Amino acid sequence: TSEYLEVRPRVARPFSVVVAIDFGTTSSGYAYSFTEDPETIHMMRRWEGGDPGVANQKSPTCLLLTPDLRFHSFGFAARDSYHDLDPEEARHWLYFDKFKMKIHSTSDLTMETELESVSGRRVQAIEVFAHALRFFREHALKEVKDQSFSVLEGNEVRWVITVPAVWRQPAKQFMREAAYLAGLVTPDSPEQLLIALEPEAASIYCRKLRLHQVIDLSQPPVTNGLDVDGSRPFDSSFRQAREQLRRARHSRTFLVESGTGELWSEMQTGDRYIVADCGGGTVDLTVHQIEQPQGTLKELYKASGGPYGAVGVDLAFEAMLCQIFGADFIESFKAKRPAAWVDLTIAFEARKRTAAPGRANSLNISLPFSFIDFYKRHRGQSVETALRCLRKHTVSQTNTKPQIGGQFSKVLSLSLTLTENLMQKEEVKGVRFLFLVGGFAESPMLQRAAQNALGRNCRIIIPHDVGLTILKGAVLFGLDPTVVRVRRCPLTYGVGVLNRFVEGRHPRDKLLIKDGREWCTDILDRFVSVDQSVALGEVVRRSYTPARMGQRKIIINIYCSDTDDITYITNPGVRKCGAITLDLLESGAVAASAGDNDKGSMFERREIRTTMQFGDTEIKVTAVDVATGRLVRASIDFLSN
């Protein structure tokens, strides 16, 4: 193996431990690895108060704040504490769950964006995220310190936080700001925190898999009692898989192959595969190609996906309740009987997880007593009467199962259509493997649907520890972020510039006369184009000079677009999405003695050479003052639009 170890120089790492936080829509967790022993990944300790029947190691993404907005608890503890509050008192407390979806759905995300708790009180979203991250920081550090013999300093930890690949820059930056606020790292050492993309992390982990660590849906074990539709072998392969899953979950350390696993040894350079990360909130698709012999990954098509996760089914359940009992009633029930509402959602979650294809009997969800009681008092009629009325008016709705079932199929078909469309793309044709990961991938409904829709074209593979795949991959990413060597740009980025006006080519309304010269304004100077391949370390360079004497800052607006056929920043579909700030004061670019004018002007018209990187999970910028060779403080901001 020594021939190709030279291909990727090992970076000298000051970190002694990598801690990854998988901040999920429905559940979250952390894992870590010591850089001395990168083949061992430690999963976090088991949580108190876990749900019966849901035995994974992640904790629900729920947060409880006291009436004076202080942190109270996170996870199972938050859920149970909120549940045990007196209903009258609970109205003043702030309980949040599934709050990560809001970041995905807010188009104008800023540091001021607010989240609403179940009781209706609002608080800044950044605070909610910071509370959750602070909780993980304290837990993880305590556990890591118990495990390690040496005394750990804060700067020896590299943190990794996972986000969906379909998230835009503002959302990634939002996560980073929340981490600064939570004290994971300081803004002065940004390199200590990595933002990892969920399906990318899963892909990094999947490369290491051995054959006995996966379920291959394309090869169901043959059993004697074959069903007419051939469904039995399928079910028994799932039963075996579940048993293995159960066993895997009780162990808290995972050993990872040092090279690439056996599945990959079958792959030639150039083989492509899709990772479908089916989580609570989003379905996220990434297409990778493995580069042998060094085992690096190359993204072949920009990440795609959308809010088609398992939460869609929960929302349908709530919509159905509103339809039967009235939205105003459900709102007031949530606010006044918070514990019962949480009970109802837990009951639904457990039912949702057991939903299997081809079940004849419907899944019944019993309404808590307080729901029935509250309805009677609120509406003056019994729940039975409400259901009877509903039955009279709509024959088709007597059974609510088709509705939820319908929503299940809707969420499933959206995610599968997404995958099928992706497979039609030129860059993706000939995909041999589809890896299903994420918590929703544990659903037999999703597995069966994927097998039916896509099983003819490629092998569908599910890692045993499907809900923990992202977490483990995020740790591996933290140990070596250079493993993904080429990514695709999700958008076209650029800035507006002036060019010489050309009669006949440029429209008259773009004409600007400056110092007697004719200029054309608003021309887009492209940095990168949508779906362009960008390698790690590849840079875009531009030079900027201050426009006025004594200027302290240069601010350059960044524009982006989903398409590439644009000439001007005023074209439809182009939006201002961020700004680069170059701080001239810091670099001594402003003349020391303003009195000495000749020297002053020489200093003033400084050339500031700016370097931008688009090949990482986040966009980075650095700048240098050409005349002095000094670094200029440069920052890039996508959140304060």
Side-chain angles (χ1 to χ4, degrees):
T1 54
S2 54
E3 311 89 64
Y4 67 82
L5 284 180
E6 274 33 274
V7 179
R8 268 152 74 218
R10 277 271 169 252
V11 192
R13 291 190 284 233
F15 311 111
S16 55
V17 62
V18 169
V19 181
I21 299 173
D22 175 6
F23 198 125
T25 304
T26 39
S27 59
S28 299
Y30 64 87
Y32 56 96
S33 176
F34 294 100
T35 47
E36 311 306 32
D37 180 17
E39 259 96 80
T40 311
I41 297 176
H42 305 266
M43 302 306 294
M44 65 191 206
R45 292 197 180 117
R46 293 302 290 267
W47 298 93
E48 296 307 308
D51 287 354
V54 183
N56 46 10
Q57 277 146 327
K58 286 169 30 176
S59 108
T61 309
C62 309
L63 173 75
L64 183 61
L65 302 181
T66 64
D68 56 358
L69 305 184
R70 284 204 315 270
F71 175 84
H72 180 272
S73 45
F74 183 86
F76 292 114
R79 216 176 61 185
D80 298 344
S81 311
Y82 183 60
H83 186 273
D84 297 342
L85 285 170
D86 172 70
E88 207 31 59
E89 210 187 327
R91 284 166 44 192
H92 306 291
W93 288 62
L94 292 86
Y95 179 72
F96 300 91
D97 72 340
K98 303 190 174 62
F99 48 87
K100 184 176 159 192
M101 281 303 278
K102 173 81 183 202
I103 303 305
H104 182 73
S105 58
T106 305
S107 52
D108 50 351
L109 185 63
T110 66
M111 299 289 276
E112 274 68 58
T113 299
E114 291 190 319
L115 287 175
E116 196 174 305
S117 69
V118 172
S119 59
R121 280 186 68 186
R122 300 174 75 82
V123 66
Q124 283 192 341
I126 194 91
E127 292 289 343
V128 173
F129 278 77
H131 278 305
L133 289 171
R134 203 174 291 122
F135 168 82
F136 278 115
R137 174 181 165 265
E138 286 163 16
H139 266 259
L141 285 180
K142 187 176 180 315
E143 191 175 333
V144 166
K145 283 177 177 155
D146 290 348
Q147 291 270 336
S148 77
F149 303 113
S150 59
V151 181
L152 268 179
E153 297 303 317
N155 57 1
E156 287 181 60
V157 182
R158 166 174 264 167
W159 295 91
V160 182
I161 299 176
T162 64
V163 304
V166 286
W167 270 17
R168 301 282 198 218
Q169 286 300 323
K172 294 177 188 172
Q173 186 185 331
F174 180 87
M175 232 12 167
R176 177 170 283 280
E177 296 292 346
Y180 291 155
L181 197 59
L184 265 69
V185 304
T186 63
D188 306 333
S189 51
E191 69 293 334
Q192 237 188 291
L193 167 69
L194 296 176
I195 299 293
L197 309 180
E198 288 160 1
E200 202 170 273
S203 176
I204 293 168
Y205 175 66
C206 285
R207 302 180 322 164
K208 304 271 190 186
L209 288 170
R210 311 290 305 265
L211 289 172
H212 65 83
Q213 294 169 313
V214 302
I215 309 150
D216 189 337
L217 288 193
S218 358
Q219 301 169 327
V222 179
T223 53
N224 294 337
L226 259 184
D227 224 42
V228 190
D229 64 347
S231 67
R232 276 299 145 76
F234 197 80
D235 293 343
S236 71
S237 74
F238 278 126
R239 264 202 300 284
Q240 290 170 8
R242 279 231 177 78
E243 180 48 35
Q244 283 159 328
L245 261 171
R246 200 181 57 70
R247 272 193 241 122
R249 279 193 181 128
H250 291 296
S251 148
R252 272 186 47 241
T253 50
F254 287 88
L255 292 172
V256 185
E257 285 295 290
S258 51
T260 45
E262 299 152 317
L263 264 174
W264 263 256
S265 51
E266 297 177 33
M267 286 200 183
Q268 286 91 50
T269 290
D271 269 354
R272 302 130 188 236
Y273 61 96
I274 296 180
V275 175
D277 168 20
C278 309
T282 44
V283 170
D284 223 0
L285 304 172
T286 290
V287 188
H288 275 165
Q289 190 171 44
I290 197 152
E291 302 174 301
Q292 301 289 24
Q294 62 278 42
T296 46
L297 298 173
K298 181 176 170 184
E299 188 178 9
L300 292 183
Y301 189 75
K302 67 181 193 310
S304 52
Y308 312 128
V311 170
V313 186
D314 307 354
L315 296 174
F317 176 58
E318 197 175 321
M320 183 191 77
L321 290 175
C322 290
Q323 191 189 344
I324 302 172
F325 302 108
D328 56 333
F329 169 74
I330 296 295
E331 277 313 299
S332 119
F333 177 68
K334 268 182 170 176
K336 302 234 168 72
R337 293 284 183 276
W341 175 252
V342 171
D343 269 347
L344 193 53
T345 54
I346 294 170
F348 180 70
E349 181 67 26
R351 281 280 179 254
K352 183 176 77 179
R353 284 169 186 261
T354 55
R359 277 182 77 120
N361 53 341
S362 42
L363 291 172
N364 297 319
I365 292 150
S366 42
L367 296 168
F369 170 72
S370 63
F371 185 98
I372 297 164
D373 181 52
F374 191 72
Y375 187 76
K376 200 174 170 94
R377 263 190 285 176
H378 192 87
R379 282 273 197 268
Q381 60 161 327
S382 70
V383 165
E384 289 80 35
T385 321
L387 288 167
R388 239 187 325 236
C389 288
L390 184 81
R391 230 166 258 165
K392 257 198 217 96
H393 295 303
T394 54
V395 182
S396 62
Q397 295 293 2
T398 49
N399 183 350
T400 49
K401 185 181 162 219
Q403 253 177 308
I404 304 290
Q407 184 57 33
F408 235 114
S409 1
K410 195 161 125 204
V411 171
L412 295 179
S413 68
L414 279 168
S415 29
L416 294 170
T417 310
L418 217 65
T419 317
E420 284 177 300
N421 291 348
L422 181 63
M423 289 171 138
Q424 302 310 310
K425 301 261 190 290
E426 206 40 59
E427 304 87 330
V428 185
K429 284 210 172 113
V431 166
R432 288 186 45 201
F433 295 88
L434 171 68
F435 288 88
L436 278 186
V437 302
F440 197 19
E442 289 187 26
S443 156
M445 303 278 276
L446 178 70
Q447 294 173 344
R448 166 62 66 86
Q451 178 60 14
N452 289 346
L454 311 163
R456 290 180 305 284
N457 312 337
C458 61
R459 280 171 67 184
I460 299 175
I461 289 175
I462 304 177
H464 284 169
D465 40 11
V466 61
L468 304 173
T469 309
I470 288 160
L471 202 42
K472 295 175 188 173
V475 173
L476 295 172
F477 178 67
L479 290 165
D480 179 13
T482 64
V483 52
V484 181
R485 207 187 52 80
V486 178
R487 289 188 177 85
R488 296 284 181 139
C489 292
L491 298 167
T492 295
Y493 287 100
V495 296
V497 293
L498 292 177
N499 278 356
R500 285 290 173 80
F501 190 86
V502 179
E503 209 37 87
R505 189 172 79 186
H506 293 140
R508 295 298 299 176
D509 61 345
K510 297 278 182 209
L511 175 62
L512 172 82
I513 295 174
K514 191 175 157 188
D515 306 334
R517 286 216 174 112
E518 294 195 333
W519 297 94
C520 176
T521 65
D522 293 339
I523 288 181
L524 178 80
D525 168 27
R526 239 180 221 74
F527 293 158
V528 287
S529 297
V530 61
D531 209 31
Q532 176 187 331
S533 289
V534 188
L536 264 190
E538 207 174 297
V539 296
V540 177
R541 287 202 176 86
R542 293 288 188 275
S543 288
Y544 298 103
T545 47
R548 300 183 309 280
M549 296 281 282
Q551 189 174 332
R552 307 269 172 109
K553 275 190 170 131
I554 301 179
I555 295 177
I556 304 140
N557 287 332
I558 302 175
Y559 295 87
C560 69
S561 160
D562 296 310
T563 57
D564 197 37
D565 50 350
I566 39 183
T567 316
Y568 304 102
I569 58 173
T570 51
N571 284 149
V574 180
R575 56 191 189 277
K576 175 177 173 269
C577 62
I580 297 173
T581 303
L582 306 174
D583 196 335
L584 305 181
L585 214 57
E586 289 282 318
S587 67
V590 176
S593 59
D596 186 353
N597 231 345
D598 304 337
K599 201 160 141 220
S601 60
M602 188 182 86
F603 265 105
E604 291 302 341
R605 299 297 293 184
R606 272 292 155 80
E607 180 190 346
I608 309 294
R609 189 175 296 146
T610 310
T611 304
M612 286 156 290
Q613 267 184 310
F614 289 89
D616 254 316
T617 56
E618 296 171 278
I619 297 174
K620 299 195 174 87
V621 60
T622 52
V624 70
D625 182 337
V626 177
T628 60
R630 278 209 190 134
L631 277 180
V632 174
R633 193 140 141 221
S635 57
I636 189 160
D637 180 24
F638 291 95
L639 269 182
S640 56
N641 267 325

